[in-house]
Amino acid sequence: MALGRVLVVGLDPVRIPGWDPEPVVAAITRGQARFDDHGIEADLCLVAPDENAEAAIVEALTRKDYACVVVGGGIRKHEPLVEFFEKVVNLVRQHAPGAAIAFNSSPEDTADAALRWLR
């Protein structure tokens, strides 16, 4: 049974200055592997908020038909990004109106967040 395609929108840890991105990159890789374990096709859209992120997100949202869009914690949990978070949610509503919107608590439980809405 196909569960539908998922888009994961998050901050690109490699493009965030001032910290070591490797632990987050590794966690994202582990999280993406969990989609494979469940037989779910999942695409990543990793952005930096100050580098034309909205256009990149719109392009990703309109590239394929998504059953669910997971918005990562890096976008949601960092208070200075609350306005960006609002924009992301509204871009999903506008450009993928049939997709459920889910939120993960870490890069490794992203598949679980999507599965709450795909079943």
Side-chain angles (χ1 to χ4, degrees):
M1 174 176 120
L3 294 175
R5 182 177 285 276
V6 174
L7 177 65
V8 179
V9 178
L11 294 182
D12 185 343
V14 174
R15 293 167 42 201
I16 306 298
W19 66 298
D20 178 13
E22 290 310 312
V24 178
V25 170
I28 290 170
T29 300
R30 288 189 301 272
Q32 286 299 106
R34 294 209 54 240
F35 281 110
D36 293 338
D37 294 344
H38 289 282
I40 300 169
E41 294 182 63
D43 300 320
L44 277 175
C45 176
L46 299 179
V47 299
D50 57 349
E51 295 178 6
N52 204 13
E54 291 176 50
I57 293 168
V58 169
E59 192 277 325
L61 288 167
T62 58
R63 184 179 327 131
K64 297 179 182 156
D65 185 30
Y66 291 103
C68 183
V69 177
V70 180
V71 181
I75 292 172
R76 292 188 335 275
K77 296 178 180 181
H78 188 56
E79 188 174 337
L81 294 180
V82 71
E83 184 178 334
F84 180 64
F85 171 49
E86 290 173 348
K87 288 178 184 179
V88 170
V89 169
N90 283 294
L91 288 172
V92 174
R93 289 181 58 235
Q94 181 180 2
H95 297 283
I101 300 172
F103 306 116
N104 63 2
S105 60
S106 76
E108 294 183 49
D109 75 354
T110 304
D112 299 313
L115 282 167
R116 289 194 292 268
W117 295 98
L118 295 176
R119 293 191 171 151

